[in-house]
């Protein structure tokens, strides 16, 4: 980057840079984000008739495209430059004539940010996790971020090659620790060392090779136990031999694929806890809040899939005879005032499972007016520590032992997962789903002004604690970690930031850490299946949904279609400004060409202004109604505003698909986007926002289906181009439909998700055993942050609640 800046300042482009800075300064602002910088530069190029290459590929153009923030401080110009994904540099151009420039530290930039909001304080607490990266393998190539498992496997295999005898002992120690209810698995006490284990496995391979491949384990287990090998290697002779040979090959020729295959067969995860605190976790269709419904669906489906997968692994490991059963617990809070739901039941079985349960633990009653009701995700922080203490006792009683894996969900669930994992010494997985900090612009700089409403000081601190303490992190998309060349990722926003007069985060997260793993979820294939699977569809439900979408009268349905046979454009989302349904209505209203060919079908949770529960919902509802009136769309739109059971939602997608419609997800930002998967799984060609992880759900080769929700005309043109292709070549719709169905089947399914999740739990458990000294130092640092920063912030919120 030094050479690029030097080139700009040593050429005629230096004058253009000064003029651009003057143009920015004339606006009266001093802090500029990437979009503002690019727009100003584009306006300059247009005003002075610069050729197209100058904007895109001149030295100045390249520098501008790398620059994500500009801060003007006196005569100095501060540039936050991102030369590649996951990496940032701070440059300071000294004096207005831009003659000199210097590379600056992160600390210097944070001081400038504090001065910008007039909240500079020195000294200030600095949070820096960089020291704990030493000795831990990190990824070099940004393209491999999120592939932590593959990277760690390669690293471990290289270590095996360097000292086989040491690694034999490590593997022996790891496997010898495996047990279930005090029953030894894999290795018994007769085997005393790694070398002995290796020899006995060689002998066992010969013995098993003489047995019929399908012979059950029970018929030859005594011979294996005489060698010191206990149950868990497999349920048949062929399965046992394959597992033993994988161990043998791992020592002889250590390769990542062999390590992964061997570890996947190790019976090490039987009891799993999924922590999801603030959502209404229930199974009837009335449960959930708009801000948490996606998380509730995710956790329930993950629990079902985990229970099924662990049961299958127990069977294949030959542990049926020991009566080992999988146990999956969804840990959430019990809500006494549950508004007619079942959220006040302590224990509830997860439908479709044999041994997965929702365990609800109440918050302690500091103030019953607060704790007996639902509590917003922004207010929940004072109750998490005591909840974790109480939940630990309940979990141990329910499970009969410590869990093998604790998975946190969202900021509050992840903090509780940290507290439980720290106390129980259990592997911890972190799933954020959606981080609040990047969704609220400048929320860290203006945290004091926002504290009363959002309590970001507690939340951002909790995020730093849980994401660093976690043994591994799974994300649904690559962009969730490090964004794109043009945008910062959600986790990346925690790398360096200031909370003025509270602390500076100098290095908040290692984006290149091997703990990050991309493991996208699936969809419930029993509900969201392709429209052309006629045999699975319920004809009465199909008729009911058709009437709901196109003809019936209902107080919760708006609009009467003049021509119901037009191709439908469908959108399904909750009423929030981020989901931007009003933007889609405006896009449709402004395009006569779209209206000529299509009807707009939107399905939401609310329809009338009187149903709004906050100002954001009210504003969005009012805007949609006003836009419908402004563009006279009453006869070209159907707006269903009610909570629908999942089977009806699944049929909505299929009804739209059988009419060769399309699905549009017009959100301003979407971390992942479950409705996108549901629509694609049903066979609907899908247009999705390019902002956030949602863009990754659609094949890179299909970027014409990525839309910019701020560009209404451009979105309409993309949709029209697709419709023109379908009108000209009717088979085109079917080709795209089949393509999106196969994409979901091949990449986004729960079986793949849970297999990978369990493999990660086993690998990182093994890695922590090797890295325990460095990890303990990290956890002590995290403990300090928890007690000295987080707890005082949470206690302030509790003081407010006690006054209610």
């Amino acid at each position: 980057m030094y050479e690029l800046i030097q080139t700009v300042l040593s050429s005629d482009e230096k004058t253009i840079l000064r003029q651009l800075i003057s143009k920015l300064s004339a606006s009266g602002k001093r802090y500029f984000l990437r979009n503002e910088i690019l727009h100003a530069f584009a306006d300059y190029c247009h005003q002075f008739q610069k050729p197209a290459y100058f904007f895109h590929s001149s030295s100045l153009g390249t520098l501008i495209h790398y620059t994500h923030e500009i801060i003007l401080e006196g005569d100095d110009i501060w540039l936050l430059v991102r030369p590649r994904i996951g990496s940032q540099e701070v440059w300071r151009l000294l004096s207005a004539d831009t003659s000199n420039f210097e590379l600056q530290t992160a600390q210097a930039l944070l001081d400038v940010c504090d001065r910008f909001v007039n909240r500079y304080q020195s000294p200030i607490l600095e949070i820096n996790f960089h020291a704990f990266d030493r000795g831990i393998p990190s990824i070099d190539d940004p393209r491999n971020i999120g592939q932590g498992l593959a990277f760690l496997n390669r690293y471990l295999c290289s270590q095996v090659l360097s000292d086989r005898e040491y690694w034999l002992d490590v593997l022996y120690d790891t496997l010898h620790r495996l047990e279930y209810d005090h029953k030894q698995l894999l290795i018994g006490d007769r085997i005393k060392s790694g070398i002995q284990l290796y020899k006995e496995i060689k002998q066992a391979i010969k013995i098993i090779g003489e047995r019929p491949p399908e012979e059950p384990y029970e018929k030859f287990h005594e011979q294996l136990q005489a060698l010191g090998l206990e149950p868990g290697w497999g349920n048949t002779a062929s399965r046992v031999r394959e597992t033993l040979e994988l161990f043998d090959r791992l020592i002889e020729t250590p390769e990542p694929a062999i390590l992964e295959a061997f570890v996947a067969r190790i019976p090490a995860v039987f009891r799993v806890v999924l922590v999801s605190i603030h959502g209404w976790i229930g199974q009837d269709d009335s449960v959930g809040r708009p801000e948490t419904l996606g998380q509730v669906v995710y956790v329930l489906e993950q629990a079902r899939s985990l229970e099924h997968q662990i049961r299958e692994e127990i069977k294949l490991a030959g542990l049926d005879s020991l009566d080992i059963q999988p146990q999956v617990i969804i840990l959430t809070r019990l809500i006494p005032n549950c508004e007619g739901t079942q959220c006040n039941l302590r224990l509830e079985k997860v439908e479709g499972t044999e041994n997965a349960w929702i365990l609800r633990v109440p918050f302690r009653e500091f103030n019953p007016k607060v704790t007996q009701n639902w509590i917003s995700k922004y207010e929940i922080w004072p109750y998490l520590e005591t909840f974790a203490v109480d939940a630990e006792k309940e979990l141990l009683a329910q499970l009969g032992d410590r869990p093998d894996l604790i998975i946190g969900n969202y900021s509050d669930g992840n903090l509780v997962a940290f507290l439980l994992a720290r106390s129980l010494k259990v592997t911890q997985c972190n799933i954020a789903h959606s981080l609040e900090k990047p969704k609220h612009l400048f929320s860290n700089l203006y945290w004091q002004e926002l504290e009363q409403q959002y309590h970001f000081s507690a939340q951002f601190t909790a995020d730093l604690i849980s994401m660093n303490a976690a043994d591994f992190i799974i994300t649904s998309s690559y962009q969730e970690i490090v964004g794109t060349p043009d945008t910062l990722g959600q986790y990346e926003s925690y790398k360096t930031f200031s909370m003025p007069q509270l602390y500076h985060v100098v290095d908040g997260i290692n984006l290149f850490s091997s703990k990050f793993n991309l493991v996208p979820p699936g969809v419930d294939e029993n509900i969201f299946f392709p429209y052309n699977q006629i045999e699975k569809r319920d004809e009465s439900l199909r008729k009911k949904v058709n009437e709901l979408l196109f003809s019936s009268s209902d107080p919760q349905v708006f609009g009467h279609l003049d021509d119901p046979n037009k191709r439908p454009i469908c959108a399904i989302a909750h009423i929030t400004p981020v989901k931007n349904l009003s933007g889609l209505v405006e896009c449709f209203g402004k395009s006569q060409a779209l209206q000529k060919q299509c009807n707009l079908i939107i399905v939401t949770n609310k329809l009338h202004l009187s149903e709004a529960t906050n100002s954001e919902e009210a504003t969005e509802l009012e805007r949609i109604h006003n836009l419908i009136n402004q563009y006279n769309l009453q006869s070209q739109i159907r707006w269903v505003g009610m909570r629908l059971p999942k089977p009806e939602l699944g049929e909505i997608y299929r009804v739209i698909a059988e009419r060769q419609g399309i699905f549009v997800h017009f959100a301003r930002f979407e971390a992942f986007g479950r409705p996108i998967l549901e629509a694609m799984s049903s066979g609907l060609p899908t247009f999705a926002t390019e902002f956030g992880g949602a863009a990754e759900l659609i094949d890179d080769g299909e970027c014409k289906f990525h839309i910019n929700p701020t560009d209404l005309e451009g979105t309409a043109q993309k949709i029209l181009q697709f419709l023109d292709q379908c009108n000209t070549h009717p088979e085109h719709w079917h080709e795209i439909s089949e393509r999106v169905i196969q994409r979901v089947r091949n990449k986004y399914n729960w079986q793949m998700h849970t297999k990978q999740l369990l493999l990660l739990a086993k690998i990182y458990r093994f890695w922590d055993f090797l890295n325990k000294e460095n990890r303990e130092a990290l956890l002590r640092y995290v403990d300090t942050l928890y007690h000295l920063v987080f707890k005082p912030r949470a206690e302030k919120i509790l003081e407010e609640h006690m006054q209610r």
Side-chain angles (χ1 to χ4, degrees), residues 180 311 405 436 518:
Y180 183 86
R311 189 173 299 281
L405 172 65
E436 292 296 318
L518 175 55

Side-chain angles (χ1 to χ4, degrees), residues 550 566-572 584-585 587-588 591 593-603 636-638 656 659-666 684-685 687 715-716 719-720 722-723:
F550 298 102
K566 287 182 182 178
R567 194 189 299 267
I569 297 173
C570 178
I572 299 177
L584 178 59
V585 173
C587 175
F588 183 75
S591 175
L594 278 180
Q595 294 173 43
K596 184 177 181 181
Q597 294 192 55
C598 304
N599 290 314
L600 180 60
I601 312 294
I602 58 176
V603 180
Q636 293 170 290
I637 190 171
R638 286 279 284 185
I656 298 296
R659 292 172 177 247
Q660 295 192 21
I662 63 172
F663 184 80
V664 179
H665 194 75
F666 210 60
L684 271 174
F687 292 79
T715 295
I719 295 173
L720 287 167
F722 173 71
L723 297 181

Side-chain angles (χ1 to χ4, degrees), residues 604-621:
T604 71
N605 58 321
K606 295 173 183 177
L607 174 65
H608 304 292
L609 197 58
S610 59
E611 298 170 318
T613 56
N614 56 58
S615 60
E616 289 185 342
E617 283 185 351
T619 300
E620 183 71 356
L621 284 166

Side-chain angles (χ1 to χ4, degrees), residues 128-397:
N128 191 338
F129 285 92
H130 179 69
F132 302 104
D133 295 336
R134 296 169 188 166
I136 299 177
S138 287
I139 293 166
D140 295 322
D141 190 337
R143 292 172 295 183
N144 294 328
I145 289 173
Q147 304 299 321
L149 175 67
F151 183 84
L152 195 55
N153 283 349
R154 288 195 298 271
Y155 176 81
L156 291 172
C157 287
S158 69
Q159 299 301 302
V160 176
L161 277 172
S162 66
D163 190 343
R164 281 191 175 88
E165 189 169 332
Y166 166 74
W167 282 94
L168 263 174
D169 287 335
V170 168
L171 285 169
Y172 164 77
D173 287 342
T174 304
L175 298 179
H176 191 253
R177 293 166 181 264
L178 295 178
E179 54 88 24
Y180 183 86
D181 283 352
H182 309 295
K183 299 171 185 174
Q184 203 71 35
L185 304 178
L186 294 181
I187 303 174
D189 292 334
R190 296 180 185 181
I191 297 177
K192 305 296 185 182
S193 68
I195 290 294
Q196 185 186 354
L197 172 63
Y198 186 51
K199 291 177 180 178
E200 300 296 1
I201 282 180
K202 289 277 192 184
Q203 184 65 24
I205 291 173
K206 292 179 183 178
I207 293 172
I208 300 302
E210 299 171 357
R211 318 292 300 194
E214 297 307 315
E215 185 174 34
Y217 168 76
E218 289 75 17
K219 290 194 174 183
F220 56 83
H221 72 95
E222 291 181 355
Q223 289 177 280
L224 290 183
Q225 287 178 306
L227 298 174
L229 300 179
E230 298 295 336
W233 295 94
N235 61 335
T236 64
S238 61
R239 180 83 180 181
V240 170
R241 180 173 179 175
E242 289 170 5
T243 309
L244 294 170
E245 287 178 340
L246 283 170
F247 181 93
D248 185 54
R249 291 172 60 195
L250 179 60
I251 301 304
E252 294 291 341
T253 55
E255 296 176 0
I258 297 173
L259 175 62
E260 186 170 316
F262 175 71
V263 171
R265 292 182 176 222
I266 294 175
V269 180
F270 306 104
R271 303 177 177 98
V272 180
V273 175
L274 313 177
V275 187
S276 181
I277 306 298
H278 72 272
W280 288 50
I281 307 293
Q283 298 176 90
D284 60 77
D285 292 308
S286 65
V287 173
R289 299 288 197 197
E291 66 183 36
T292 62
L293 185 59
Q295 181 191 143
V296 172
V297 172
Y298 180 106
V299 171
L300 283 167
E301 291 182 5
Q302 188 185 58
R304 292 189 189 97
S305 186
L306 273 170
E307 198 256 5
H308 295 160
Q309 186 60 39
I310 296 172
R311 189 173 299 281
E312 178 67 14
E313 291 192 1
I314 289 171
K315 177 183 176 182
L316 291 173
L319 297 177
D320 290 14
S321 61
L322 298 183
D323 196 29
I324 294 177
Q325 296 291 323
Q327 293 176 279
V328 178
I329 298 289
I330 298 174
L331 176 64
T332 189
R333 63 170 297 226
L334 185 148
I335 306 175
N337 296 336
C338 62
E339 301 178 15
T341 70
Q342 292 185 312
C343 289
N344 61 346
L345 295 181
R346 176 186 176 273
L347 200 62
E348 180 185 356
K349 191 174 183 180
V350 176
E351 296 170 0
T353 70
E354 295 181 42
N355 203 18
W357 301 84
I358 302 169
L359 175 63
R360 301 185 181 92
V361 178
F363 283 169
R364 292 186 190 174
E365 290 192 349
F366 295 92
N367 179 353
K369 292 180 181 179
V370 177
T371 54
Q372 290 194 0
N373 299 297
W374 178 78
I375 300 175
S376 162
K377 61 185 178 181
Y378 301 118
E379 302 276 341
I380 204 167
W381 307 105
Y383 311 104
L384 300 183
E385 181 174 309
T386 51
F387 175 86
V389 172
D390 297 340
E392 180 176 332
K393 297 173 187 175
E394 295 274 0
L395 284 172
L396 291 174

Side-chain angles (χ1 to χ4, degrees), residues 383-418:
Y383 311 104
L384 300 183
E385 181 174 309
T386 51
F387 175 86
V389 172
D390 297 340
E392 180 176 332
K393 297 173 187 175
E394 295 274 0
L395 284 172
L396 291 174
Q398 187 68 30
L399 295 172
D401 203 343
R402 294 184 307 163
D404 303 302
L405 172 65
I406 297 177
I407 303 173
N409 289 270
Y410 197 72
S411 299
D412 48 2
N414 282 317
L415 189 70
V416 171
F418 154 70

